[in-house]
Amino acid sequence: MRPPRIQRNNLQYPLDSILGTPANVRLLRVLVHEVQTAVGVTDAARLSGLTVAGARRALEFLAKFGIITRVGTGRALKFGTVVGNPFVPLIRQLFVA
């Protein structure tokens, strides 16, 4: 993952502390707020400004966390938000605010 351009304060960016890393927050922003559909690892990396390996690690973490899910298999593997998860609309509102 590329280092952030600015030093991030936990009071200004509480999601970094809650979700573990800024990469997780970047990917959630892409999946929940920007595209709102399933995307592949390469596209998620490009849209969030991460490396492919960093995006894959963060997506796997978020899938274990239960906010996103795997869609498809093999080369067609994509990640999207879990339909019906009560936290997804709340996370979307956080990014809008």
Side-chain angles (χ1 to χ4, degrees):
M1 180 177 94
R2 294 181 190 130
R5 292 186 181 125
I6 59 170
Q7 196 67 338
R8 295 169 68 101
N9 182 336
N10 288 339
L11 293 175
Q12 289 180 313
Y13 301 98
L15 286 179
D16 289 357
S17 297
I18 294 168
L19 294 174
T21 65
N24 296 343
V25 177
R26 288 182 191 180
L27 286 169
L28 271 178
R29 178 183 298 275
V30 167
L31 290 171
V32 173
H33 179 65
E34 293 176 7
V35 295
Q36 298 178 4
T37 185
V39 295
V41 176
T42 305
D43 290 334
R46 181 179 49 79
L47 292 169
S48 62
L50 301 171
T51 64
V52 174
R56 185 178 308 281
R57 279 192 305 271
L59 288 167
E60 294 292 338
F61 172 80
L62 291 171
K64 289 179 187 175
F65 198 62
I67 294 176
I68 65 170
T69 186
R70 294 175 182 209
V71 179
T73 59
R75 296 189 88 150
L77 178 65
K78 294 185 177 189
F79 290 86
T81 57
V82 174
V83 177
N85 185 318
F87 295 114
V88 172
L90 297 172
I91 293 170
R92 187 173 291 127
Q93 287 178 357
L94 283 172
F95 288 126
V96 169

